[in-house]
Amino acid sequence: NAIKETWQNILARCLRREAWVDVSSMKVIGNTAVPVIKLNTRSNADFHVSLDISFGGHGHQGLEASKLNVSLIREYPSLRLIVLVLKQFLTRHGLCEVFTGGMSSYAILLLTARFLQEQSPGNSTDIGASL
């Protein structure tokens, strides 16, 4: 009669014992195409890092997406800064979490890259105008 745990639950249980993990921020989202463990790091200052942990499996295209991200950022140098500003704005308004109806970081990156593709070459470097 042992309780069957998913890999996400087992990993989350192990992570809860780590001093660098803010346990109150941890969420296991297992009923999705790519299951994720979301958490924040704990630190002495107000600074923390938000992490999403996922592993390869059916529907997981993380490595390919990462290569595309690097390629797009090389092609459009202003892309990184614009995406960071947009992510911060969406996060402050509670719209940066997919599982609550917001947009994923990847979607923000792709939409912004597509927007920059439509701009004339001189305008794509003016970050203020692009925003």
Side-chain angles (χ1 to χ4, degrees):
N1 292 338
I3 297 174
K4 293 186 179 181
E5 287 184 298
T6 64
W7 66 263
Q8 298 92 354
N9 295 110
I10 294 169
L11 179 56
R13 187 168 26 91
C14 293
L15 286 170
R16 283 185 180 94
R17 292 181 246 162
E18 296 295 325
W20 57 271
V21 173
D22 177 5
V23 178
S24 66
S25 71
M26 187 179 293
K27 295 177 187 151
V28 177
I29 305 166
N31 295 327
T32 59
V34 178
V36 175
I37 299 173
K38 301 179 81 55
L39 61 91
N40 293 333
T41 60
R42 187 184 336 197
S43 67
N44 295 335
D46 290 333
F47 179 78
H48 70 272
V49 176
S50 297
L51 299 174
D52 291 353
I53 301 171
S54 65
F55 290 93
H58 180 70
H60 192 283
Q61 302 294 322
L63 295 177
E64 290 83 2
S66 179
K67 290 175 188 173
L68 178 61
N69 292 353
V70 170
S71 170
L72 288 170
I73 289 169
R74 281 190 187 134
E75 188 173 348
Y76 303 100
S78 61
L79 178 62
R80 177 184 302 230
L81 292 174
I82 295 170
V83 167
L84 288 173
V85 170
L86 290 173
K87 283 180 62 172
Q88 182 62 32
F89 175 81
L90 292 171
T91 298
R92 286 188 179 202
H93 290 86
L95 299 171
C96 209
E97 296 292 342
V98 175
F99 70 96
T100 60
M103 290 184 65
S104 70
S105 296
Y106 191 60
I108 296 166
L109 179 104
L110 293 177
L111 285 171
T112 306
R114 183 65 183 136
F115 172 78
L116 292 175
Q117 287 172 344
E118 294 294 319
Q119 303 305 302
S120 61
N123 291 346
S124 65
T125 57
D126 186 353
I127 297 170
S130 295
L131 280 170

